[in-house]
Structure formats: structure tokens, C-alpha cells
Amino acid sequence: MTYDVSRRSLLALGAGLGASLMGGSVLAKAPKLGTQSPYFHRFNLGGAEVTVVSDGPLPLGDPSGTFVGVPKEEVKKMLTDNFLSPDNVVLEQNSPIVNMGDKLVLFDTGMGTSKAFGPTTGRQQKSMAEAGIKPGDIDAVVCSHAHIDHIGGIVDTDNKPLFPNAQVYIAQSDFDFWTDEKKMDSPLKDFVVHARKNLMPVRDRLVFFKDGQEFLPGIQAMAAPGHTVGHHMFMVTSDGKSFAFLGDLTHHQVLLLEKPRMEFAYDTDPKMAADTRVKMLDMLAANKIAVMSYHFAWPGYGHVVKAGDGFRYIAEPMIMTL
């Protein structure tokens, strides 16, 4: 004997059975939890372990005053085409902590106590705690440059160093520029105040690196000037595997990749920054080198590839390993 049972009748049958088994009652809805996962991501690089921690989202607001050199409407279309808000550009702050076995190295420290960009920043210490990393275990703090959102978490509200056992690495040209008291009467005042607050208390722990120098085992400095005078990227290598920590080579995974010669308002020398950006992105794409970007969408790890006159960012899958 055969039966002609349609999909609709099967759904009706299932609904009827379900109602009879529950006595006609409806199960209560689960309460909303209102919580998020911890703000860290961990992966392996050769023999090293990399933990990315966040200092929290950094909102820039309307892009028209920050990303310049391209018509306003074109910028907004680039954002909406990628399902991003055209009215509020939000950057991430991704700091890799690399365990090389004999050294635990943190790259950049977030906004710290400054709320210049709102209340969502300044959570790096909390993210580290969520990841099980103690500030006292950090051996080296490596600074790509001395802007507020990269050196802001070196000291606490009382100007006490947050990483008591760490040396702090930075380019001397950037240190000299951003701690210069003569700039206190210029539009750069807030940046100088913040740089002095965080760098002067650790002045005796500062180590200056040079372009091309492997200043820590497996970590090589790469000059990338323009955003600041001493801005650097870093090549991180372990057992033949590498990634480039970009610092602020490019602030946005869409705008400054699709249009790499677009200028960014916070660049000290926008033209030089654009030239550096194109040169370095060309090299990274041609050599298929993985990248970690401080400001790309969380957690900021992936690859860049050529796309016409610009580039495209391809995020690495966040694979969990036990």
C-alpha cells in the first residue's frame, strides 16, 4: 500500500503531534542574556602563540572630515556597499600579544585612560585578563608610533607603569616628535600631553629600534613613514611562518584599501603616507604575507590581495583549536 503525503500535510501532522505531546501548552521563551564573548582571539604562528586582545571599538564619526581626497558621496557608497554605516566609521583596536617561548611581546596599548573618542575604548587590560595574560608577564611593549590610541595604555591614572617588567620599544624619531614640549601650543597639544604622560614615566626603559633591525628574536622593524615621522610596521616570524603587524599603515579595511591614495586626516604627511601605503601593500600582496591590522574589523588578521588599482582584505577564518 502507498500513501500520497504532501510536505504541507507532514508539517501539519508534526504540529499536531507537538501540541498533543505538550498538552497544548507553549514553552516559555528563554530570557535574553545581554552578554558577549570575551574580547580575545588566539592562534598559532609556527612555534609561537598569538593572542589578539582588544582595546575596544574606536568611533570616528562622519567619514567626510577624516577620509579625504575622494568625493563624499563616493566614500559613503563604498561603506554602504560593504554593509557599513555611512555616517559613523568605527575602527577596532587589535593588539597582538606574541609568546615566542622566551619572550611575551605586546604590540601597542590602546587609548588607556583617555576618552577622546568616547567610552568604548580603554579595555585592553580587561581583554588581557579575559585571555589569562597578566601585565607582569609582558617582557616587551612594542609601539608602532606614539599616537594616543597606541601608547595610551602604558601607564595608569596615577602614571604608574602597567607593565612593570617590560621594556618599551619605539622609534626615536617618533618619541622625540611627540614628547616635544614646544608643540604644547600647537593643534597637536592633546597628542603631546598623552604621549608625555605615557612615555616619560618609562623613559629609562625605552629602547629605540632602527629600520630593518631584528630588535627582538623573530621581530623585525620596517619603517613605514607618513602617518607619523617614525611610524613602523613589524614582521613577526616563528619557525618559517610570518605575519606583518601593520600598525596604522591603513586604518580601514575598505576605504584605504580600495582607494589606497585616499588621504587620512590624522596622517602627519598624508602624501607620504599614501605612497608608503601603496608600496607596502604591493609588497605584502605580492608575497602573500599574512597581516595583522590594528584598526581592521575584529580580530584584524588575514591577507591583502590586489584588486584593480587598489586592494582587498580577506579575513582569516577564526578557527577554534583545543
Side-chain angles (χ1 to χ4, degrees), residues 9-23:
S9 62
L10 281 173
L11 291 173
L13 177 62
L17 286 172
S20 64
L21 289 172
M22 293 186 294

Side-chain angles (χ1 to χ4, degrees), residues 171-186:
Q172 184 169 359
S173 56
D174 234 51
F175 171 80
D176 292 344
F177 185 95
W178 294 105
T179 59
D180 183 1
E181 288 184 289
K182 296 176 182 177
K183 295 183 175 68
M184 294 289 279
D185 293 328
S186 77

Side-chain angles (χ1 to χ4, degrees), residues 83-312:
F83 304 98
L84 297 171
S85 169
D87 303 312
N88 183 26
V89 172
V90 179
L91 307 181
E92 282 286 351
Q93 297 179 94
N94 310 309
S95 288
I97 301 175
V98 184
N99 189 335
M100 288 290 197
D102 58 346
K103 294 283 186 182
L104 191 61
V105 184
L106 165 67
F107 291 82
D108 289 342
T109 66
M111 289 288 295
T113 59
S114 173
K115 295 302 177 185
F117 291 93
T120 59
T121 65
R123 80 171 329 269
Q124 188 182 85
Q125 290 287 316
K126 180 179 180 181
S127 298
M128 287 176 60
E130 291 169 347
I133 297 175
K134 299 176 182 178
D137 290 340
I138 299 293
D139 298 296
V141 174
V142 177
C143 302
S144 60
H145 60 297
H147 272 176
I148 287 177
D149 52 324
H150 295 260
I151 49 83
I154 293 176
V155 302
D156 63 14
T157 53
D158 298 320
N159 298 333
K160 181 179 178 181
L162 288 166
F163 306 100
N165 301 312
Q167 289 184 300
V168 179
Y169 295 78
I170 195 170
Q172 184 169 359
S173 56
D174 234 51
F175 171 80
D176 292 344
F177 185 95
W178 294 105
T179 59
D180 183 1
E181 288 184 289
K182 296 176 182 177
K183 295 183 175 68
M184 294 289 279
D185 293 328
S186 77
L188 301 177
K189 176 183 177 180
D190 289 344
F191 286 85
V192 174
V193 168
H194 210 63
R196 290 187 61 84
K197 168 184 168 61
N198 282 274
L199 293 174
M200 300 313 290
V202 295
R203 180 64 184 85
D204 60 337
R205 302 187 195 181
L206 290 183
V207 180
F208 299 127
F209 50 70
K210 297 183 181 301
D211 179 31
Q213 179 185 1
E214 185 177 345
F215 59 93
L216 287 167
I219 300 174
Q220 181 183 23
M222 303 172 66
H227 180 57
T228 65
V229 294
H231 178 265
H232 277 68
M233 297 164 39
F234 306 96
M235 193 67 71
V236 181
T237 303
S238 175
D239 292 348
K241 302 292 185 182
S242 300
F243 74 83
F245 178 63
L246 303 184
D248 278 3
L249 179 73
T250 170
H251 289 74
H252 199 271
Q253 68 274 12
V254 175
L255 299 180
L256 294 178
L257 286 188
E258 289 187 10
K259 301 285 186 181
R261 292 200 175 276
M262 186 187 303
E263 295 180 7
F264 185 68
Y266 291 95
D267 290 338
T268 300
D269 186 334
K271 302 294 186 186
M272 179 186 290
D275 287 342
T276 297
R277 184 159 48 247
V278 172
K279 176 185 175 181
M280 291 300 188
L281 290 175
D282 271 333
M283 180 273 293
L284 294 166
N287 292 283
K288 299 183 178 181
I289 297 171
V291 300
M292 164 66 66
S293 178
Y294 187 72
H295 285 304
F296 282 9
W298 172 256
Y301 187 70
H303 287 81
V304 291
V305 297
K306 283 288 292 181
D309 294 330
F311 302 86
R312 183 164 58 91

Side-chain angles (χ1 to χ4, degrees), residues 20 55 67-68 70 74 77 92 129 173 222 228 310:
S20 64
D55 191 57
F67 297 88
V68 297
V70 173
E74 187 174 347
K77 185 177 186 303
E92 282 286 351
S173 56
M222 303 172 66
T228 65

